[in-house]
Amino acid sequence: MTIDLHPLTPHIGARLTGIDARKPLASAEVAAIEAAMDAHAVLVLPGQDISDEQQLAFSRNFGPLEDGANSGARDSELRLPVVFADVSNLDKDGRIAARENKKRMAALANRLWHTDASFRVVPARYSILSGRIVPSEGPNTEFADMRAAYDALDARTKAEIEDLVCEHSLMYSRGQLGFSDFLPDERVAMKPVRQRLVRTHPVTGRKSLFLASHIGTIVGWPRPEAMAYIRDLIEHATRPEFVYSHRWTPLDLVIWDNRTTMHRVRRFDDLNIVRDVRRTTTRSDGPTTAQEAA
Ligand SMILES: [Fe+2]
């Protein structure tokens, strides 16, 4: 079977067929996926009826696996092994999570534009999301192209942001929604980490904005000024011309490059309709900036 690639928008997203994610990939297949990711930043592989083990094996082709952040839940409260980010609306028993469920509260922050794991010292490379059960009425997942958004900035702004460093933490993104129900050890684990605001893709050399709702300040700036500035940048970077909105079909496997995109999930009737989507995440090459000693 040959690999076919169909762009979904002029900037971002492509549909890729001709790969069977259930089977071990040949090195040429891995290289083809990576090249397609470098070009399109988001890939949709339709019809991938994979098990958890197959998803893990597929994901390992693209770097060491990152544990899911799993929204403050204790390991014993998790439905899936900790290496997955369980972005379903299900509790550990496989039932729809109750309205006040802590995991649900924290996961509501996925409706804000973000980049996965930007709050880790070594941030994420790829996220790989398997749509096991996806409601026909949505929600869509939206992806914004941080390369095109960078390119569209004026020269003055590019110069202003070139060397800026932001602090990222899950506490900041969840805090935006008024969620602050963190245990003391969670606060330690969520200590802010520093990331460059402008990063350069290691293969293509293209610059992109490293934005996320996980940002809580810009180093050296008054915090309100930093947050107002970041809001403006996110507003710019998520204009419709930079966005691909993915409408899910069951068994889609969607891969995105967190180094060059932001994403968010839209609202849906999550108290009544089951949505079972399972994410694996791989790690990038290293920190984007030096970190303060812990
Ligand atoms: Fe996410």
Side-chain angles (χ1 to χ4, degrees):
M1 199 172 178
T2 53
I3 293 175
D4 265 316
L5 199 58
H6 297 280
L8 296 163
T9 76
H11 288 305
I12 182 175
R15 181 181 161 97
L16 186 145
T17 54
I19 293 281
D20 185 343
R22 294 171 303 184
K23 297 179 179 163
L25 296 186
S27 57
E29 292 178 310
V30 175
I33 291 171
E34 289 180 331
M37 285 294 288
D38 290 344
H40 300 283
V42 178
L43 293 180
V44 178
L45 282 64
Q48 302 290 343
D49 188 5
I50 54 174
S51 66
D52 288 350
E53 278 310 312
Q54 288 163 342
Q55 183 171 345
L56 291 172
F58 176 85
S59 302
R60 284 192 191 98
N61 288 299
F62 306 104
L65 297 179
E66 176 93 85
D67 283 350
N70 287 314
S71 308
R74 300 284 157 207
D75 288 1
S76 61
E77 296 166 10
L78 295 176
R79 185 175 69 105
L80 301 175
V82 71
V83 70
F84 282 89
D86 184 6
V87 271
S88 74
N89 61 332
L90 302 174
D91 65 17
K92 71 179 195 312
D93 300 317
R95 288 186 299 248
I96 289 179
R99 192 164 199 179
E100 302 293 336
N101 179 287
K102 185 175 177 181
K103 169 177 175 279
R104 175 176 186 268
M105 289 294 110
L108 289 171
N110 290 330
R111 291 193 202 160
L112 306 177
W113 285 106
H114 68 282
T115 307
D116 290 332
S118 68
F119 47 83
R120 297 198 196 274
V121 172
V122 178
R125 183 186 186 205
Y126 293 171
S127 287
I128 298 157
L129 187 56
S130 170
R132 307 293 175 85
I133 301 173
V134 292
S136 57
E137 58 269 59
N140 284 11
T141 304
E142 296 179 342
F143 298 93
D145 187 342
M146 295 299 103
R147 308 162 305 176
Y150 175 85
D151 291 346
L153 293 172
D154 59 60
R156 189 189 57 76
T157 307
K158 283 180 181 167
E160 185 173 28
I161 64 176
E162 175 65 25
D163 293 316
L164 293 182
V165 172
C166 298
E167 291 196 348
H168 296 238
S169 168
L170 275 172
M171 281 192 288
Y172 295 140
S173 46
R174 289 165 189 177
Q176 285 191 39
L177 298 184
F179 180 89
S180 55
D181 185 16
F182 305 115
L183 300 169
D185 58 330
E186 291 172 344
R187 289 181 186 276
V188 172
M190 292 179 189
K191 181 176 178 288
V193 305
R194 295 183 164 192
Q195 307 289 1
R196 292 184 59 85
L197 179 52
V198 178
R199 59 191 307 191
T200 303
H201 193 282
V203 176
T204 66
R206 283 189 76 180
K207 287 185 175 178
S208 59
L209 291 170
F210 195 20
L211 287 170
S213 59
H214 304 309
I215 292 176
T217 196
I218 299 171
V219 175
W221 286 37
R223 193 168 178 220
E225 184 182 359
M227 295 312 289
Y229 193 86
I230 294 298
R231 266 186 198 223
D232 281 351
L233 279 180
I234 289 179
E235 192 174 305
H236 158 81
T238 56
R239 281 167 18 198
E241 63 263 40
F242 305 134
V243 171
Y244 164 63
S245 182
H246 182 62
R247 186 188 174 123
W248 288 85
T249 298
L251 305 181
D252 281 345
L253 190 66
V254 178
I255 313 174
W256 61 91
D257 191 337
N258 288 291
R259 301 170 300 183
T260 54
T261 59
M262 275 202 295
H263 61 280
R264 67 174 175 180
V265 68
R266 304 317 308 266
R267 181 168 182 270
F268 78 112
D269 185 8
D270 72 304
L271 294 174
N272 292 299
I273 298 171
V274 171
R275 179 174 188 256
D276 186 351
V277 286
R278 305 179 185 202
R279 196 188 87 215
T280 40
T281 315
T282 70
R283 224 171 277 158
S284 61
D285 296 338
T288 63
T289 190
Q291 302 291 322
E292 289 187 313

